[in-house]
């Protein structure tokens, strides 16, 4: 399977995009195919999105990937680090000689230099769904498992503004050291539908959102674009959106949902944001 390559789009050209062009450029869907690794390489900060749903076999991360062609290296993580979340049934990940069991919403950080990553499900009838994001890395740290209870929790928002939620920080400087990758999981409470309002950008980092916990008859409107040139992408369950540094990234659902955020770029300062007041959005 050839890796899906997404080249960078600038904000001036984006203003002229149709709905179809916007979805083709920024939406990532179809990530979970039985016993397959789906990989999307974004030239926005050279981030890579992987999806894998092992069913009948244990699946190596590099299955179907020509590492030399895609990365110019002999194995995927030779010069990269990787964050993995499980949004499906219980599963297991073997990194070189270490084995990790991941339940729903658990996370694994895999350090640069790890040669082998193999993913499997405990029960083929209820397979794991491993959502993964990789960033370039210049040194090795420690491969580390983090359960949902290990995450640093930041309650935010309110029911009055329909955005009461908890930000779970997993791969974050306050939790563990990485080169540049930051990842976490935000959960909205029932009755809340907005995330990340007031809107912001961060010129020094890109971000990727993947949404889950969305019922088949529900959806999320992911807001993107410049603050005065906003657009949206309609997102379904287990779909992701690539967000360049010049773009806002907010969502409004027809019901509550959860999403995993991943960032890479110049720094890991979570609060380094350029805020845009809601009345100034267009």
């Amino acid at each position: 399977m050839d890796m899906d390559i997404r080249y960078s789009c600038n904000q001036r050209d984006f203003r002229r995009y149709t709905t179809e062009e916007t979805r083709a450029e920024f939406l990532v869907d179809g990530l979970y195919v039985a016993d397959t690794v789906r990989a999307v390489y974004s030239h926005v900060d050279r981030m890579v999105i992987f999806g894998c749903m092992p069913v009948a076999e244990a699946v190596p991360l590099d299955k179907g990937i020509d590492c030399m062609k895609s990365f110019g290296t002999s194995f995927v993580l030779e010069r990269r680090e990787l964050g993995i979340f499980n949004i499906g049934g219980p599963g297991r990940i073997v990194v070189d000689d270490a084995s990790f069991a991941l339940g729903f919403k658990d996370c694994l950080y895999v350090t640069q230099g790890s040669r082998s990553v193999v993913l499997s499900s405990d029960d083929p009838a209820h397979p794991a769904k491993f959502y993964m994001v990789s960033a370039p890395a210049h040194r090795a740290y420690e491969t580390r498992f983090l359960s949902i209870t290990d995450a640093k929790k930041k309650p935010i928002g309110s029911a009055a503004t329909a955005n009461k939620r908890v930000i779970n920080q997993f791969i974050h400087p306050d939790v563990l050291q990485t080169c540049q990758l930051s990842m976490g999981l935000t959960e909205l409470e029932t009755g809340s539908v907005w995330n990340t309002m007031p809107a912001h950008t961060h010129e020094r980092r890109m971000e990727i959102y993947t949404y889950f916990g969305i019922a088949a008859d529900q959806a999320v409107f992911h807001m993107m674009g410049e603050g005065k040139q906003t657009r949206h992408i309609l997102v379904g369950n287990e779909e992701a959106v690539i967000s360049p540094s010049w773009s806002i990234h907010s969502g409004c659902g027809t019901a509550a949902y959860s999403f995993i955020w991943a960032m890479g770029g110049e720094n890991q300062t979570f609060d380094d944001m350029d805020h845009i007041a809601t009345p100034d959005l267009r």
Side-chain angles (χ1 to χ4, degrees):
M1 178 183 293
D2 289 334
M3 185 174 291
D4 183 356
I5 307 295
R6 307 285 180 94
Y7 291 95
S8 302
C9 165
N10 68 68
Q11 59 269 51
R12 296 177 301 279
D13 291 344
F14 177 61
R15 297 174 189 177
R16 300 191 293 269
Y17 274 31
T18 65
T19 296
E20 292 77 16
E21 289 170 329
T22 299
R23 293 176 68 84
E25 182 78 24
F26 300 104
L27 181 68
V28 179
D29 57 6
L31 279 171
Y32 305 102
V33 179
D35 300 322
T36 299
V37 175
R38 171 90 195 280
V40 179
Y41 189 115
S42 172
H43 277 266
V44 181
D45 285 300
R46 297 192 177 275
M47 302 287 272
V48 182
I49 303 163
F50 298 93
C52 181
M53 184 176 68
V55 178
E57 62 184 67
V59 181
L61 179 65
D62 61 357
K63 181 179 181 179
I65 295 174
D66 183 333
C67 291
M68 187 56 65
K69 177 182 177 182
S70 299
F71 304 113
T73 57
S74 57
F75 55 97
V76 175
L77 299 183
E78 183 175 339
R79 297 180 60 86
R80 287 185 162 271
E81 56 189 352
L82 179 72
I84 306 174
F85 277 84
N86 183 8
I87 59 172
R92 183 166 296 276
I93 303 173
V94 178
V95 180
D96 294 336
D97 296 325
S99 181
F100 304 89
L102 269 70
F104 184 53
K105 298 181 183 177
D106 287 343
C107 171
L108 182 68
Y109 170 73
V110 184
T111 187
Q112 175 263 337
S114 301
R115 298 188 68 92
S116 173
V117 179
V118 180
L119 311 115
S120 61
S121 296
D122 292 356
D123 181 0
H126 300 91
K129 293 180 179 178
F130 294 112
Y131 171 73
M132 299 168 273
V133 176
S134 175
H138 62 278
R139 60 157 291 179
Y141 284 99
E142 178 188 1
T143 294
R144 183 173 164 189
F145 167 79
L146 296 161
S147 73
I148 184 68
T149 58
D150 295 325
K152 181 180 179 182
K153 302 187 184 305
K154 292 186 64 175
I156 192 171
S158 69
T161 49
N163 65 354
K164 191 173 183 180
R165 61 201 190 275
V166 175
I167 301 173
N168 298 279
Q169 296 173 334
F170 285 81
I171 300 175
H172 185 277
D174 291 343
V175 182
L176 80 165
Q177 281 189 299
T178 67
C179 285
Q180 67 161 313
L181 184 65
S182 296
M183 292 183 74
L185 190 158
T186 299
E187 300 172 289
L188 275 71
E189 292 195 4
T190 301
S192 287
V193 294
W194 277 102
N195 79 74
T196 321
M197 278 291 178
H200 67 266
T201 61
H202 23 75
E203 184 63 30
R204 293 146 294 279
R205 296 192 306 276
M206 67 87 73
E207 192 156 3
I208 302 165
Y209 276 13
T210 191
Y211 293 90
F212 67 102
I214 304 172
D217 60 346
Q218 305 295 318
V220 173
F221 290 81
H222 177 91
M223 311 300 171
M224 66 175 302
E226 299 167 277
K228 294 187 182 297
Q229 291 282 341
T230 59
R231 306 289 189 271
H232 74 264
I233 296 178
L234 197 67
V235 180
N237 193 41
E238 299 173 354
E239 295 181 340
V241 180
I242 299 167
S243 181
S245 60
W246 48 262
S247 177
I248 67 168
H249 34 281
S250 300
C252 185
T254 55
Y257 53 90
S258 298
F259 66 97
I260 296 165
W261 43 268
M263 290 185 285
E266 294 292 342
N267 66 31
Q268 295 176 303
T269 306
F270 187 79
D271 295 326
D272 180 12
M273 305 173 187
D274 302 314
H275 291 280
I276 304 170
T278 301
D280 293 334
L281 291 171
R282 297 290 183 269

